[in-house]
Amino acid sequence: MLISIDFNSNEAIYMQLRNQIVIGIAQDKIKDGDSLPSVRQLADELGVNMHTVNKAYAILRNDGYLKLDRRKGAVVCVSVESKPKHIETMNVGMRMMVAEAICKDISLAEMHQIISDMYKEFDDIQNGGIL
């Protein structure tokens, strides 16, 4: 698994790790059923504390991206059963993005274009396209 941590970023390391795994799933680089490295192994590879990786995995589990199996460890298992909950969570997060866009005079059309471009980017990656 190719994950890079920016130790100079203002974003917490566990969130960088969580976000990169979610992006990897969206890009189909990490597939449903794939086992992720153990907490200890990934912590050693990245040069971070085991508690950092454990926290990222716990958030991924709570968000419906992972199952923790005693025999297999962390296994990617994207749950779509709780879609209404995810929509509600996204609504809360996007509310701030929209507020920031309005403050910076970014139009609704520009926001639509940004989102459309992102969906296209992920679709292109999943289908083997080159950006």
Side-chain angles (χ1 to χ4, degrees), residues 28-129:
D28 214 24
K29 293 178 180 176
I30 303 172
K31 301 186 186 316
D32 206 38
D34 283 356
S35 291
L36 297 181
S38 70
V39 169
R40 182 182 308 272
Q41 181 183 0
L42 189 54
D44 288 345
E45 286 177 19
L46 298 175
V48 299
N49 189 295
M50 286 181 14
H51 296 293
T52 301
V53 176
N54 197 42
K55 187 170 185 175
Y57 279 10
I59 291 170
L60 287 163
R61 185 191 69 233
N62 290 338
D63 290 347
Y65 294 102
L66 287 183
K67 279 188 180 176
L68 298 178
D69 184 299
R70 293 190 191 279
R71 294 164 295 161
K72 297 180 183 178
V75 178
V76 175
C77 180
V78 180
S79 169
V80 293
E81 295 169 358
S82 57
K83 185 175 179 180
K85 177 187 166 206
H86 291 295
I87 289 174
E88 183 180 324
T89 302
M90 291 181 75
N91 190 13
V92 171
M94 290 188 75
R95 184 173 184 80
M96 183 52 68
M97 280 193 249
V98 170
E100 291 174 359
I102 290 169
C103 289
K104 299 296 183 176
D105 198 30
I106 297 171
S107 71
L108 177 59
E110 290 168 318
M111 288 294 286
H112 278 252
Q113 188 62 53
I114 290 166
I115 292 170
S116 292
D117 290 347
M118 287 181 188
Y119 267 87
K120 183 177 178 346
E121 175 186 337
F122 281 102
D123 188 51
D124 286 348
I125 290 170
Q126 283 183 342
N127 294 316

Side-chain angles (χ1 to χ4, degrees), residues 18-31:
R18 179 247 182 232
N19 292 344
Q20 287 188 40
I21 290 171
V22 171
I23 288 171
I25 294 168
Q27 292 176 339
D28 214 24
K29 293 178 180 176
I30 303 172
K31 301 186 186 316

